[in-house]
Amino acid sequence: MKVDVRSLSRFACLTVLGLGLGTGCTSTKVGYADPLKAEPLTTQWEAGDLHQIAETMIDSLLTTPTVVDATTGRTPVLSVGKVKNKTMQHIDTESLTDTIRTRLLRSRRFQFVDRTTDDQVAEEFRVQQESGLVDPQKAVPVGQQYGAEYLLTANLSEIANTDGRTQDVFYKFTMNLRNLRTGLIEWAEEKELRKVSTRRRFGF
């Protein structure tokens, strides 16, 4: 059987060209975008929602007269509790907590204690005090840490409704600042977000 080498060469070239065109049609362009200007893609909780919430809470907290008075000439110790997720979604509330704490820390109006790492701290104290591995003269003494004067707590809830092709999701984020000495709530704020999604009819 005689094989036409030129025909095979043309076939190979066309195949490679076809693969190249196919790859070009399905290529994906990836780039960086400003997280503060993220456009909503779904009715689910997204990065842009986090930044809106954090900005509103921090601006309100730092400008309320009670907090301004409490932070004038001193930096009170604050503990930030984990955000309670009352939605039906799996939301990384720790990320929201971290964002709020970081921005407040940058304001230099508060000092912070982090109760989320207490287990690790307790283990470190155990090693220093009981293991015999650390020089007693250089070990950190127990019982001298600062106690929080204020506790910042928060809740995130949602109400979702679906009507035909439209999905309507309402989010509410509430935050409270409690004075641990008096037990009084000295500041409270809430931020509401509503996200609506409408599915297009096929062909339109």
Side-chain angles (χ1 to χ4, degrees):
M1 179 178 178
K2 185 177 180 180
V3 178
D4 189 338
V5 177
R6 287 180 297 179
S7 296
L8 287 176
S9 298
R10 284 196 296 270
F11 176 76
C13 290
L14 290 173
T15 301
V16 172
L17 179 61
L19 289 174
L21 291 174
T23 303
C25 292
T26 59
S27 64
T28 301
K29 183 179 180 180
V30 178
Y32 290 101
D34 187 348
L36 300 180
K37 298 180 180 179
E39 294 293 329
L41 300 177
T42 70
T43 57
Q44 298 290 303
W45 180 263
E46 299 173 305
D49 305 327
L50 183 153
H51 290 293
Q52 282 194 58
I53 293 291
E55 184 176 358
T56 299
M57 294 298 116
I58 293 165
D59 288 346
S60 175
L61 176 61
L62 294 180
T63 57
T64 192
T66 303
V67 172
V68 172
D69 291 342
T71 57
T72 299
R74 58 189 299 268
T75 50
V77 180
L78 178 64
S79 178
V80 181
K82 186 176 181 180
V83 177
K84 292 183 179 180
N85 180 14
K86 296 183 177 181
T87 74
M88 298 298 291
Q89 304 176 44
H90 177 70
I91 296 175
D92 183 8
T93 56
E94 186 173 345
S95 177
L96 179 55
T97 302
D98 290 344
T99 298
I100 292 174
R101 179 171 52 229
T102 299
R103 295 191 182 183
L104 285 175
L105 189 59
R106 288 176 179 172
S107 74
R108 299 184 179 181
R109 304 280 287 277
F110 292 97
Q111 300 178 81
F112 285 86
V113 290
D114 183 6
R115 294 305 179 201
T116 63
T117 57
D118 277 356
D119 289 344
Q120 299 173 45
V121 172
E123 175 61 18
E124 179 60 29
F125 273 123
R126 188 195 67 76
V127 171
Q128 292 193 28
Q129 301 293 332
E130 302 175 11
S131 68
L133 298 174
V134 179
D135 183 344
Q137 299 298 321
K138 298 180 180 179
V140 176
V142 178
Q144 296 188 15
Q145 293 191 7
Y146 280 44
E149 301 172 58
Y150 295 91
L151 177 63
L152 199 59
T153 59
N155 297 312
L156 176 63
S157 60
E158 74 170 344
I159 299 175
N161 294 298
T162 301
D163 183 11
R165 295 180 295 112
T166 301
Q167 184 177 32
D168 190 338
V169 182
F170 173 82
Y171 295 96
K172 185 168 78 169
F173 185 86
T174 305
M175 181 164 272
N176 299 297
L177 180 69
R178 182 174 182 176
N179 186 319
L180 293 178
R181 185 179 301 277
T182 64
L184 298 176
I185 302 296
E186 298 199 351
W187 168 85
E189 184 62 89
E190 63 181 17
K191 171 70 175 178
E192 298 174 348
L193 296 175
R194 183 185 177 194
K195 305 178 77 174
V196 180
S197 173
T198 302
R199 297 195 309 272
R200 293 183 178 181
R201 294 184 183 276
F202 182 76
F204 293 89

